[in-house]
Amino acid sequence: MSRPPTFTPPPGVRAHRLVTERGEFAVLEAAPVSPTVNGTALLLPGFTGSKEDFIPLQPLLAAAGYRTVAVDGRGQYESPGPRDDEAPYAQSELARDVLAQARAVGGPVHLLGHSLGGQIARAAVLLDASPFVSLTLMASGPAQISVPQQQRVKLLRDALAVLDMAQVWDAMQAMDPPEEADTRALDEGLSDGEELRRRWLGNSPAQLLATGRQLCEEPDRVEELAAVGLPVHVLSGDRDDTWPIPLLDDMADRLDAHRTVVPDAEHSPNTDQPDHTARALAAFWDRLPQPAPSPGTRS
């Protein structure tokens, strides 16, 4: 599970609901610091993650002239979704959500997906690439996750079949206790552990079951993506136990993609090394033809 440094949006990052033709989604939006807007980026979190995973990046990208909209997908944390029906969480449905989000944000947009979010982003591009200027796959590989991670996801899916979300949380904490607890107070007066628990309980069990299966069964669609011709950035830490680094290097070669390896970072370079990650993202986007200014978000 990703561990965002904070759940509290800093100054300049606004929490609101993004209204789309496919429903409302909880987002964190940051506008550029200067009047000049270099572009807009839509940021998709990974499995068990949330929009808060991008908080460290958003002020840095705003300083670089980029508007960012980080979104909780359907059934993730603060975005509503059915809790007992897996059908609405089919990858094609989640991809259509992304297309609707891009239209509501106002495009064209740079699309970034972290881990599971990268696979959903890829599926959206393969459905319709027209809303997007580029695609960044952050710590997101060509096909299914590594065998050890598949085993972890299977344990989670087995637990969700017999336990409720609170019981699964307690079991996960017993098996994999967090590092030394961070006791700093947040605005709501909650500790990090309580915030993480609240995020976990906000997730739809059906969403976790469906997307966990996708992570373990995703086929290799690199050739399909290469044929689209959209500029692609493959970004990762220098260590990753979900997709091995050589596999990500090979995917980048097959896509003729820009490749960034962030030093001293693991599966979440956005939280491990946000400064380096933000510079790499802005540098990639700066190289591309600038899209027309995006209109304001419809909310």
Side-chain angles (χ1 to χ4, degrees), residues 41 48 57 59 61 91 107 183 207 242 275 282-283:
T48 76
L57 291 181
L61 292 171
Q91 189 185 75
T183 58
Q207 181 264 130
T242 304
D275 289 341

Side-chain angles (χ1 to χ4, degrees), residues 47-72:
F47 185 62
T48 76
S50 70
K51 61 192 179 302
E52 284 73 18
D53 295 339
F54 298 108
I55 284 176
L57 291 181
Q58 289 187 282
L60 300 171
L61 292 171
Y66 287 93
R67 172 185 173 223
T68 57
V69 182
V71 60
D72 285 338

Side-chain angles (χ1 to χ4, degrees), residues 10-28:
V13 179
R14 178 173 68 98
H16 66 96
R17 313 293 295 185
L18 181 68
V19 179
T20 81
E21 64 207 39
R22 290 178 63 85
E24 292 188 9
F25 297 88
V27 301
L28 293 174

Side-chain angles (χ1 to χ4, degrees), residues 103-125:
R103 287 189 287 268
V105 163
V109 302
H110 298 284
L111 180 61
L112 180 152
H114 173 232
S115 195
L116 170 72
Q119 296 191 338
I120 296 169
R122 178 173 72 178
V125 168

Side-chain angles (χ1 to χ4, degrees), residues 7-172:
F7 281 79
T8 305
V13 179
R14 178 173 68 98
H16 66 96
R17 313 293 295 185
L18 181 68
V19 179
T20 81
E21 64 207 39
R22 290 178 63 85
E24 292 188 9
F25 297 88
V27 301
L28 293 174
E29 179 171 351
V33 174
S34 68
T36 302
V37 181
N38 291 333
T40 296
L42 181 64
L43 314 177
L44 312 182
F47 185 62
T48 76
S50 70
K51 61 192 179 302
E52 284 73 18
D53 295 339
F54 298 108
I55 284 176
L57 291 181
Q58 289 187 282
L60 300 171
L61 292 171
Y66 287 93
R67 172 185 173 223
T68 57
V69 182
V71 60
D72 285 338
R74 181 197 301 250
Q76 274 187 322
Y77 190 28
E78 295 181 322
S79 288
R83 298 186 70 82
D84 299 316
D85 182 5
E86 292 185 44
Y89 303 107
Q91 189 185 75
S92 60
E93 293 299 314
L94 300 178
R96 289 184 174 89
D97 286 348
V98 173
L99 294 172
Q101 292 157 11
R103 287 189 287 268
V105 163
V109 302
H110 298 284
L111 180 61
L112 180 152
H114 173 232
S115 195
L116 170 72
Q119 296 191 338
I120 296 169
R122 178 173 72 178
V125 168
L126 291 175
L127 278 177
D128 181 5
S130 64
F132 307 114
V133 182
S134 71
L135 170 64
T136 295
L137 301 172
M138 177 187 288
S140 187
Q144 71 272 12
I145 55 178
S146 66
V147 171
Q149 290 300 315
Q150 289 184 45
Q151 293 168 346
R152 289 174 65 92
V153 170
K154 184 180 185 301
L155 284 173
L156 174 59
R157 295 182 69 249
D158 289 346
L160 287 169
V162 296
L163 302 174
D164 64 30
M165 290 290 284
Q167 291 170 325
V168 172
W169 173 261
D170 292 340
M172 289 192 302

Side-chain angles (χ1 to χ4, degrees), residues 91 119 122 141-144 214 216-222 224:
Q91 189 185 75
Q119 296 191 338
R122 178 173 72 178
Q144 71 272 12
Q214 291 166 28
C216 296
E217 298 177 355
E218 178 75 0
D220 188 319
R221 305 184 73 186
V222 173
E224 291 178 69

